[in-house]
Structures are given as C-alpha cells and as structure tokens.
Amino acid sequence: MPSRIVTLKLNGAERELIARPSTTLLDALRETFGLTGAKRGCAQGGCGSCTVLLDGRPVVSCLIPVVTVDGSTVDTIEGLADGDRLDDVQQAFVDHFATQCGFCTPGMIMSATALLDRKPDPTRQEVTEAICGNVCRCTGYEPIITAVLAAAEHRRGVPLASAEAEV
Amino acid sequence: MVISVQTPDSAEAAHAALQAGAVPLGGGTHLMTRLNDRAGGDLRLVSLRRAGLSGIGVDGATVTLGAATTLADLEDDARLSYLSGCVRSIASPPVRNLATVAGNLFVPQPYGDLAAALLALDAELDVLGAGGARREPLEQVVTGGLRADDLVTAVRFTAPAQSAFRFYKAARRRLNSGSIVTVAARITVEDGLVGDVRLVLGGLARRLVRATGAERVLLGAPLNAETVARAAEADAIEPVDDAYASAWYRARVYPVHLRRALLGA
Amino acid sequence: MARLTPIDNAYFDGERTGDFTVIGSAVQRSDARGHVTGRTVFFEDMSLPDMTHVKIHRSTRHHARINRVDVSGALEVPGVLRVITHEDVPNNWYVVLRLIGVGPDDEPVLAEDRVLYRGEPIVAVVAETEDAAREGAARVVVDYTDLPAVLDVEEALADGAPIIKQAGTNHFVYEGHHCRRVRFGDVERGFAEADRIIEGRYSSSPIEHAPTEPTGCIVVPQGDGRLRIHTNTQAAFFTLDNTALILGVPPTSLRVVGGTVGGGFGGKVDVIVEPLACIAAMLTGRPAKYVYSRAEEMQVSSTRAAERIVIKDGVMDDGRIVARKITLYVDAGAYSRHSPYGTTKAAAHMPGPYTIPNVHVDAYCVYTNRTPSSAMRGFGVTIGDFALESHMDRIARELGMDPLRLRLKNAYRDGDMKAHRKIASGTALVEVIQSAADLVGHDLPPEYRAMSSAERAEG
Ligand code: FES
Ligand code: FES
C-alpha cells in the first residue's frame, strides 16, 4: 500500500505528513517534524522516553503506526514552554534537580503533565503510579516525584522554589 | 516489515480485511514491539482503532466491553471498580492508554492479567467469523484459540456479586511488571463455607490455568488457611522459567499467593 | 534549594581554606533547561539527508568455528547498499586498552573464523532504511561448527578446559604471571598465629548498565575527506584513537562530537559502534547510523563483570584480622575490553579499607564464552566491597562482636602502609563510621568514640 497523507493537530497547529505504513508516531515526530524531544529508548513500550499526549492522554509513541491516528491531537514537550518561559512542570524539574542525563526527561514531563491535567492534587502514590512507565536510570526518581508534587502545589497557588529565589 | 495498515470504520470491514490475510492490530503494545525490532517478511495490518469496537455497556448485571476498549477506559469507569486492581497492575499508563481488552486476551503469559480476570468471571466473546456472528466461551478460546480470520468484537460477562471477585498479582516490582503469580477468582462464601468458586491462575504456566482441582477442594469447605493450603496442592501446574522468575520460585510461592488472594493475608 | 545535610568538614578542619562558593551550595545545572524543553541534542537527534543505517548479523552460538558466511541473501534485499565483513576492516584486531600499553589485541571488529560469544558481530549490513538493514542482516547465513563452550571462571581455569583464546590461555597474562598478585607480610604465618580461621565464598552475576539511551553513533563524511562522528561515547579520545587505529587513518582525519550521553554508567566507554559506522560511511560516501536496539543493548553491550571472590581470614578473638588471603576471579567474558585493568584495580583494592599485616591476593582476569564485560561504576571495586563487607559481617557474627566495632578496630589510619605499598592518607573511615553510628543511634563505647584516623592507639 502506498504512503498516505496524515493530518495531526500537533502542539496546537494543523500539520500534515506523508507516512509509510511502517512509520510510527515517534518516527513522524522526530524525522518528519524534527521534534526530537520524544526519544527512542527501546521501541518496545518499555521505557516511556517516547511519551507524548495523544488526544490528551499519555501514550508510548513508538508503538503507534501514525496512519492509525490520522486526525488526532498530539502534544509534545516542545509545545509546553511559552517561548523562553518554561511551564510549571518544566520549571519544577529544573528547580528540584529532577534531571541528570536528560534522556528520560521529556517523556517523564509529559506523563507528569497528563497526571496534573487530570488530577491537580495528586498524592505521592499517584505520582509514582503515573510515572511508572517512564524509566529513569540516573536520578533514582526521588527528585522527580518531588518536582511533580511541587508543580502541583504551584498550580494551587504555591510559588515555585525558583520564584522564591528571585525575591 | 509492515507493508500496509488499514483503518476500517466498521467491524465488517475489519473482518473482511482479516479474511484477506491482514493481521489485527489493537493497541499494538505487543505486536508493534516485534515489528519494531525484528525482521520477518511482509505484513499487512488492520487497525481496530476506528472500527467502532470501543465502549463499555452495563445493563443490569450484564457487562459488555468492546474489543478495542482500552485498559485505561476500564480503569476510568467507576462501574467496573472491581477490575481496577487488575487493570492498574498491568504495564503503565502510557501503555494502558493503547492496550485493548481483546488484545490482552491473546498476549502470551506471563502477561494477560485481564484475561485471567475475565476467565474467572466466565466471560464470553462475540466473534465475527466466516459463518457470521457467534458467541464463544473465553475458556474455550483460551485453550483452543480462534481462526486467523475470526474477529473478536466484544467481551461479555456477568458482574460479580459484591466482593465476590478477588484479584491478586505477585510481581518483581509493585508497578509495571510482568506476573510471577496471578490469582483471579470469583468466590462466594455462605455461612463460612465456600459456595460458588471459579479460580484462574496466570503468570505461572505457559497458558492461563483454570484450577479445577483447587475449586473442588474449596467448594463446600470452610475458607481458611488449611483449606487453601490443600487447594494449592490440588492442580498439576507446570510453572515456567522466564526473566521474571524461575519455575522453581513460581512453584514455591504459588501457595503463599493463593492464600493471600483468598484470605487476604 | 537548601542542602538537606550540611557538609561536616571537621575532619578536614584547617586543611581546606579558600572561598568556596559552589561547594556546599545548590547550583543550577547548566544543561537542565535543554533537558526540560527537549532541546538538548543527543546524537540520534541529528537529522542528516541521505543517511544510511547499519544493522548487524550476530553469532547465534556461544563458541563455534565459522565455516562459511553467505551474504548473498542480504544483498538481494531492496535498499541494502553494502555488506561489511572482516575483510573490509583495515585493522580488524584491537583491544581498547592498547592506548595505555595493554596487549595483545584480542578482539576482532567483525568475527573471522570463529565466534566466542552469542551475539558476537559477524557481518554489518548497510541499507537505505533501518527496516532494509534489519531484513538484510537477518538474511545472512552462517555455517558453524560448534565448539565446547566455557561459561564459568573456575571451569575455564581447570585442567583440561578447552582453551578458547588464540593467545593460548583462558586468562590474561600480567607481566608473565597468571594473575595480578599482591604479597604483603607472610599470610601463612598470620594464619598460624590467628585464634581462628574464617572463610567465605562470594559470587555476583553480570550487571547490565541499561542506559535509557542505547549506544550508538552517526558518522558524517565531510567535504574535506574527514569523518565527523556524532557519538554518545563516554570516552571521546578513546573512541577517536581506537577508531583511527582500526581504520588505519591518522587521528586528525576523524572528528568526534560527543559529550551528551543519555546515561552511560561505564557502558559507553568501549569502542564498538564507531568503527563500523565509519566504514559504512567510507564505503557509501553517505552518513551512516549504527545504534543498538534495546535487545542488543541488553544482550551484547558489555556488562559489569561477574566475579567470584574467595576469602580466608586469620582472626584474633579480640577482632583483629591478622591475615587475609583472597582469590578473585573476574569474568571478562570473551574479550579483554577494560577487564585486565578492572582486575588490577580489584587486586589493589584488597584487603579493603583495613590494615591487615599479612595479605595475599591472586586476582585472575578470566576469559569465558560469555558477553564481554567491561567498565561499570567503580568496576573492580564494587563487587570486591560486597564480598569484603559481607565477610566482615560474617566475622562479627562468629565472634559475637558489634560489626561497627569490628570495622573500627581494623580500619586503616592515615600513614598506614597498604598491601600494594601505598601510604594511606585522608582515610576518614573511622570518622565516617562514628558519624554513621550517631545518625542511626548506634551506641559506641568511649574507647571506640576516641578513635581517630589521624593516630593509631597502641595495642
Ligand atoms: S521508546 Fe517508546 S517506550 Fe521506549
Ligand atoms: S535523567 Fe538519565 S534517565 Fe532520567
């Protein structure tokens, strides 16, 4: 079967691509659109480094033939910041040293974002469950959980650590 | 390598694609892992994502799950709260947002925890086959399989009575890990004695096991440690070795997990 | 963000002066913004027109002679551009440590007449797409004659074991010796004087680093004839020099662009992917990418070595250890990589951070038909410490002694001569144990409280 034209609402904009049957959503993001924030850590659905939001829900983009999600909404790490202004989850990851090598970070932040969009006041346990598909080999997860909880507090009006520092 | 992906918008069209030799693609969380990594000839896929096979129906005690309903959809449905422990034990949120009900019926053990639960609930499948639509008990499909051009369109079962459903999964990690022992049971206790029981074991052997020996021991007996210990001896299970646990370990811990599943401690 | 535990610099009081503004404070990482926005560029985030892909046909045997390799099936796959065999590798034999004088070169870039482990690379296939390269690699046919495999270090050294290495021994040769040796005092006399002998045997399995980013590189031919190598190596200059030697080109004709590593932990210091990607780029004149699949990362990337450590201690009833004899086996797997060095480190680390007057260490770097092992966080030391500290606990149990007091009693002090003839300095072990005891509320009697790394009490 020939390639097909696929339309996505990608980070808020209508985008089109020509996809082969074997093109995954991850391939499309990285190779066609140059959005390389989503990573290929395993291509097995096991590491979560390719996590993006599909119609608002976190998915492993490495396992999705892109032609099957024609017409869907896709949000990636590149769509979070407003120009140079980081969004609160990103800023909390910076403030709480939740990154080391950074390879897991985009997927981790997308999973955390999806959680906070659905549950603005998660428990620590809910944070752990939300990121259980995102492998981080560097940090040991603790600073990541702290960062997600801090971002949640920020959404409820508590300033981020960096904001305090600036005062 | 994938040479075509169809995305039909009806079950009939999806079934026609299967008859023409395409392979069904549910959430892709099992099949795509292979296609991403392994060589192996040309493959035509038919995606069920748009085939109108998603949705959850609850009509009195009768529950109908569309074949392409995602595990995340089950998790979100308050009417299915008795399945939530099972569903949340499977993989991770970004996988459960893709993985489907019917897909879970056909993944190899030690995966397929939902299949264990549905088998314990004595589910039936709606199948679209060469001769039209038909019903098949899940139990029969688990042992006998389906034809390559059969399309599962839905899963039906009777919702269990209050607290009659038990699900317990032992794994290497608390979250996102394949099973070492999965116990799924529908069990009722009247006056301290086991009334009705259906007991299914996952994660232990090559296939799901209906533990009929254990069921016979339990039936009519008091539900206590002594009965459960005898029940754990009653079936000839052939545990498997894999990366999660050795066969020896599985055999050794199965009685413990059966006890925890049925007695809570 | 405030530090949770302030730095305790009492031990180094007066030793360190100066106006430290970074140590002891929380300073934002310079790379964090790139990480959280997805803008950090890892090697695979490069996008290059006309890029080719490299996939490998690997050994399915632990140990076998290769009778014949048939690549014709691979060449028939549409999109396959080239196959690379050992004949295409200018200098096929290498050992990464030759840069510091370690030899012999014991590993082929691509297998020649035999394979020594399952997963050993035999043929590389270069294709227009990843799919085509994978398909091509799968279609290579290798005809093997199986040879007896050795999968255990002690079996490998036993009399009559099949010799798997072309150098003629199943162990690395250290300046003519069968192992790395440390001799200090007279261990047999120590055993004779001891109140009791306490022995133990400790083993570990290989450990995979499992970095989230698989090992890989992209090589780009430049207009001036040089090759630009975008790689996630942890060792840019090891990669540069070893690749140049393998290709038989001056190092100046290669340029390594690295420094962004998606997790390494020592797993990305071997030089594995770059030489073949360079050859692919040279043969096709196009950019070439070679990156491990997750399965390859798990199966064929080197691991932390499995080790087996046998300890025999001569111990006095008051807790003093007067003799320690260690036989240590490092499973290098099929090839040296960094293991001869790791084994030397293991030997030098013995008898641990304790001052023992009589020490005897034999540390063997052993070859087996397992996946080669190599560097991983503290390799040569980590597993040794597991064994030593497990053994210290065993001694404490046998003597009915508090394990912290046993350690304090034997802890090395500044100025002590170590078994490998280095003077210990900046030891601080005594103070660390004392502080740890405080933190967990573990009682120590005054004489143990009074101990110090700076001086050794008589007795
Ligand atoms: S790359 Fe998709 S889950 Fe690992
Ligand atoms: S920061 Fe390296 S994997 Fe998470």
Side-chain angles (χ1 to χ4, degrees):
Chain A
M1 186 161 69
S3 296
R4 249 200 262 170
I5 295 179
V6 171
T7 309
L8 298 174
K9 188 165 184 204
L10 183 53
N11 293 330
E14 292 285 333
R15 303 292 298 269
E16 280 188 348
L17 76 144
I18 298 172
R20 283 181 291 128
S22 60
T23 305
T24 63
L25 175 57
L26 180 63
D27 295 335
L29 293 173
R30 292 177 53 83
E31 286 158 29
T32 308
F33 297 117
L35 297 173
T36 56
K39 305 295 178 204
R40 178 170 71 170
C42 70
Q44 298 290 297
C47 75
S49 60
C50 65
T51 304
V52 299
L53 305 189
L54 178 67
D55 296 324
R57 313 199 76 163
V59 292
V60 281
S61 60
C62 64
L63 299 185
I64 305 174
V66 70
V67 297
T68 67
V69 295
D70 187 12
S72 300
T73 298
V74 175
D75 292 288
T76 71
I77 188 82
E78 289 88 350
L80 291 188
D82 177 10
D84 265 353
R85 237 186 95 82
L86 302 182
D87 93 334
D88 43 14
V89 181
Q90 291 173 313
Q91 187 62 51
F93 268 60
V94 172
D95 292 347
H96 293 274
F97 295 83
T99 68
Q100 278 187 41
C101 79
F103 198 80
C104 70
T105 309
M108 195 70 82
I109 288 180
M110 295 319 285
S111 281
T113 299
L115 170 73
L116 297 187
D117 287 349
R118 282 164 63 97
K119 282 200 181 102
D121 190 6
T123 62
R124 192 184 161 79
Q125 169 64 22
E126 285 168 337
V127 175
T128 313
E129 274 199 59
I131 61 168
C132 77
N134 295 83
V135 174
C136 177
R137 282 289 282 164
C138 303
T139 63
Y141 302 100
E142 282 301 316
I144 293 173
I145 296 167
T146 306
V148 178
L149 290 170
E153 282 193 349
H154 177 251
R155 291 193 177 185
R156 299 196 306 275
V158 181
L160 287 166
S162 53
E164 284 165 26
E166 276 160 25
V167 176
Chain B
M1 177 177 151
V2 183
I3 55 163
S4 77
V5 183
Q6 287 168 267
T7 49
D9 57 11
S10 72
E12 290 68 28
H15 180 242
L18 296 189
Q19 286 186 306
V23 172
L25 178 73
T29 58
H30 182 64
L31 182 56
M32 287 298 291
T33 63
R34 277 136 205 274
L35 300 180
N36 278 346
D37 246 22
R38 297 191 200 164
D42 291 344
L43 194 63
R44 291 183 297 125
L45 299 180
V46 52
S47 164
L48 305 180
R49 180 177 270 273
R50 303 271 160 89
L53 296 176
S54 314
I56 299 168
V58 179
D59 182 4
T62 306
V63 181
T64 312
L65 309 177
T69 308
T70 65
L71 300 188
D73 287 338
L74 301 192
E75 190 180 342
D76 287 350
D77 195 314
R79 298 170 298 175
L80 303 178
S81 56
Y82 49 89
L83 285 179
S84 120
C86 165
V87 172
R88 282 163 62 205
S89 81
I90 300 169
S92 62
V95 170
R96 294 201 291 272
N97 279 323
L98 296 174
T100 63
V101 169
N104 195 270
L105 305 178
F106 298 101
V107 290
Q109 293 291 315
Y111 309 110
D113 293 310
L114 179 65
L118 293 172
L119 186 54
L121 293 170
D122 202 8
E124 273 194 319
L125 307 184
D126 286 358
V127 179
L128 200 53
R134 65 176 201 273
R135 293 262 177 99
E136 287 234 25
L138 175 58
E139 184 147 10
Q140 202 164 303
V141 173
V142 162
T143 43
L146 287 174
R147 287 168 46 111
D149 62 351
D150 278 340
L151 176 69
V152 177
T153 55
V155 181
R156 297 166 189 277
F157 59 91
T158 304
Q162 187 83 30
S163 76
F165 180 70
R166 312 282 170 87
F167 180 89
Y168 182 91
K169 172 175 166 183
R172 292 288 287 266
R173 292 180 310 214
R174 200 164 47 74
L175 298 166
N176 193 10
S177 189
S179 171
I180 292 172
V181 179
T182 291
V183 180
R186 192 183 66 193
I187 185 166
T188 53
V189 183
E190 288 148 28
D191 301 330
L193 302 180
V194 175
D196 158 61
V197 60
R198 248 180 98 82
L199 184 63
V200 173
L201 307 174
L204 271 175
R206 287 260 162 265
R207 291 170 185 242
L208 291 175
V209 177
R210 167 104 188 266
T212 48
E215 288 175 5
R216 274 194 299 275
V217 172
L218 290 163
L219 197 63
L223 187 59
N224 59 28
E226 191 270 328
T227 309
V228 174
R230 273 192 300 122
E233 303 289 321
D235 292 276
I237 299 159
E238 288 172 34
V240 291
D241 278 316
D242 63 19
Y244 296 106
S246 64
W248 177 88
Y249 181 81
R250 285 188 158 99
R252 185 83 180 71
V253 300
Y254 158 56
V256 176
H257 296 305
L258 183 66
R259 193 187 70 224
R260 290 182 186 165
L262 297 182
L263 301 178
Chain C
M1 198 176 82
R3 198 173 265 289
L4 293 177
T5 319
I7 294 179
D8 173 4
N9 48 19
Y11 175 73
F12 295 106
D13 203 23
E15 208 172 305
R16 298 276 170 107
T17 54
D19 189 15
F20 295 122
T21 54
V22 172
I23 295 172
S25 63
V27 175
Q28 193 44 66
R29 299 177 59 104
S30 61
D31 55 8
R33 279 184 80 87
H35 291 347
V36 301
T37 52
R39 286 197 200 140
T40 301
V41 180
F42 293 86
F43 90 88
E44 208 180 4
D45 299 336
M46 302 283 307
S47 108
L48 292 149
D50 231 16
M51 189 159 71
T52 65
H53 300 262
V54 178
K55 294 281 173 193
I56 307 294
H57 183 89
R58 299 182 178 280
S59 163
T60 57
R61 311 303 167 93
H62 293 298
H63 189 202
R65 179 162 295 285
I66 295 177
N67 303 319
R68 209 168 66 86
V69 176
D70 180 0
V71 300
S72 56
L75 291 168
E76 283 165 12
V77 174
V80 167
L81 300 166
R82 287 287 307 224
V83 295
I84 302 171
T85 69
H86 66 87
E87 287 170 15
D88 300 303
V89 184
N91 299 306
N92 196 37
W93 290 84
Y94 76 111
V95 60
V96 280
L97 287 173
R98 63 185 157 178
L99 303 181
I100 56 168
V102 173
D105 292 341
D106 76 331
E107 181 166 3
V109 174
L110 290 172
E112 294 184 359
D113 64 340
R114 71 192 73 195
V115 286
L116 264 58
Y117 69 98
R118 224 175 85 181
E120 180 161 359
I122 302 172
V123 174
V125 176
V126 194
E128 297 279 0
T129 64
E130 243 183 300
D131 278 330
R134 195 180 294 120
E135 190 67 36
R139 299 234 190 135
V140 172
V141 178
V142 178
D143 181 42
Y144 301 97
T145 301
D146 280 314
L147 298 170
V150 183
L151 301 169
D152 177 86
V153 285
E154 286 174 270
E155 275 168 31
L157 297 183
D159 285 342
I163 298 301
I164 64 170
K165 295 294 280 186
Q166 298 186 51
T169 63
N170 285 349
H171 57 77
F172 183 79
V173 177
Y174 288 96
E175 291 102 34
H177 297 289
H178 54 299
C179 63
R180 181 61 85 193
R181 303 163 316 146
V182 177
R183 303 287 184 263
F184 188 66
D186 180 345
V187 81
E188 292 306 327
R189 205 183 62 218
F191 289 145
E193 286 168 8
D195 290 330
R196 55 177 99 194
I197 302 294
I198 300 177
E199 296 179 89
R201 190 179 157 86
Y202 304 88
S203 294
S204 69
S205 293
I207 300 172
E208 166 56 32
H209 315 73
T212 48
E213 178 204 37
T215 304
C217 68
I218 295 173
V219 176
V220 191
Q222 303 290 281
D224 61 5
R226 296 166 81 205
L227 296 175
R228 194 174 76 222
I229 307 172
H230 295 270
T231 162
N232 58 15
T233 180
Q234 288 177 261
F237 290 93
F238 255 49
T239 297
L240 180 80
D241 292 348
N242 272 300
T243 304
L245 289 169
I246 288 166
L247 299 180
V249 300
T252 47
S253 62
L254 305 176
R255 180 176 161 221
V256 172
V257 183
T260 304
V261 184
F265 318 113
K268 290 172 179 164
V269 302
D270 295 340
V271 183
I272 305 291
V273 289
E274 295 87 354
L276 283 173
C278 284
I279 292 169
M282 289 159 80
L283 290 176
T284 60
R286 293 166 57 178
K289 173 156 91 175
Y290 174 11
V291 56
Y292 279 165
S293 69
R294 179 52 54 182
E296 288 176 305
E297 190 70 48
M298 296 305 285
Q299 193 202 344
V300 307
S301 80
S302 51
T303 60
R304 180 193 292 286
E307 291 184 34
R308 187 161 307 144
I309 299 170
V310 182
I311 305 176
K312 177 178 178 182
D313 279 356
V315 182
M316 306 307 288
D317 285 336
D318 66 3
R320 277 175 299 136
I321 303 168
V322 293
R324 176 165 276 180
K325 183 175 185 178
I326 306 244
T327 313
L328 183 150
Y329 306 93
V330 168
D331 188 345
Y335 298 108
S336 290
R337 304 225 176 141
H338 288 79
S339 290
Y341 164 74
T343 308
T344 295
K345 259 169 82 184
H349 185 63
M350 296 299 157
Y354 304 107
T355 293
I356 297 173
N358 305 293
V359 176
H360 179 289
V361 182
D362 280 349
Y364 294 84
C365 174
V366 187
Y367 300 107
T368 63
N369 295 111
R370 298 175 80 179
T371 304
S373 63
S374 195
M376 183 176 189
R377 310 190 73 167
F379 70 123
V381 169
T382 322
I383 304 298
D385 276 338
F386 151 72
L388 289 172
E389 298 311 322
S390 301
H391 199 67
M392 292 302 279
D393 287 340
R394 175 178 295 194
I395 294 171
R397 272 197 304 277
E398 274 202 35
L399 297 180
M401 190 173 173
D402 169 15
L404 290 194
R405 293 184 213 173
L406 173 72
R407 287 176 170 83
L408 283 168
K409 193 159 239 175
N410 290 286
Y412 61 176
R413 311 295 208 264
D414 290 350
D416 285 354
M417 176 66 81
K418 299 200 66 193
H420 66 304
R421 311 298 196 284
K422 297 270 187 241
I423 305 275
S425 65
T427 56
L429 177 60
V430 169
E431 289 73 14
V432 167
I433 295 175
Q434 289 164 340
S435 301
D438 288 343
L439 285 172
V440 298
H442 184 104
D443 233 20
L444 288 175
E447 67 267 33
Y448 287 90
R449 285 245 154 259
M451 285 180 174
S452 150
S453 289
E455 64 209 75
R456 181 178 285 286
E458 284 309 306

